[in-house]
Amino acid sequence: MKPPLRMRIFRKVIFILAFIPFRLFWPVKLIGKNNLPQKGQYFLAMSNHLHWFDILLLWVYLPGFKFFLAKKELSEKRFNRRLLNLFGATYIDRNKPDIKGIKSAVAKLKTAPLTVFPEGTRNKDDTSLQQVKGGAAMIAVKADVPLVPLIISHKQKIFRKN
């Protein structure tokens, strides 16, 4: 299943605009990148979410078409919903079982890698993890794909190796 042309163009433009600034200003050292599956899909579980541009960092340093799970509240404002839809977001209700969101995530995982931040929100404190929401492992099992954990060890600082 190929994403719509509008989404592919948007993603390519954002990637081009983000690539040079992120590579110059926020260099990232990826440890264990070779552990990512070379073929097939995978479910990337970012154990922490420190900044809004974590998603752009993922795009620049782990290229490839990825979908994202986003909290349902982000879809309430029209601008946010349109923007996140172009990024390939699937909305999920964090407070109750969301069968529709889970089915949508499993369907997207069959076509491309999917990323989730299991904490469910941005973490203001980069020294500890928040309570992790359940469901990531279940989605990976239902889609029959490997669950790949990833952590950002500290907040990104400009011109510093992160």
Side-chain angles (χ1 to χ4, degrees), residues 1-12 59 64-67 85-89 108 111-113:
M1 178 173 114
K2 215 172 187 181
L5 179 63
R6 172 179 62 148
M7 183 187 289
R8 287 182 300 187
I9 291 171
F10 172 79
R11 288 172 151 237
K12 188 60 88 175
W59 267 8
F65 186 79
K66 292 178 197 67
F67 290 112
N85 286 344
L86 288 171
F87 276 103
K108 284 188 175 180
T111 63

Side-chain angles (χ1 to χ4, degrees), residues 39-94:
K39 292 182 180 175
Q41 311 316 335
Y42 56 91
F43 193 24
L44 188 62
M46 293 282 297
S47 60
N48 56 349
H49 188 13
L50 303 175
H51 202 275
W52 64 267
F53 62 68
D54 290 344
I55 292 172
L56 292 176
L57 280 173
L58 281 175
W59 267 8
V60 170
Y61 288 97
L62 295 174
F65 186 79
K66 292 178 197 67
F67 290 112
F68 295 90
L69 282 182
K71 59 185 178 180
K72 185 177 143 189
E73 297 90 317
L74 291 175
S75 70
E76 292 170 358
K77 293 185 179 172
R78 193 169 128 191
F79 176 78
N80 286 350
R81 185 176 56 249
R82 285 187 172 183
L83 180 66
L84 290 172
N85 286 344
L86 288 171
F87 276 103
T90 296
Y91 303 102
I92 200 135
D93 192 338
R94 303 175 299 165

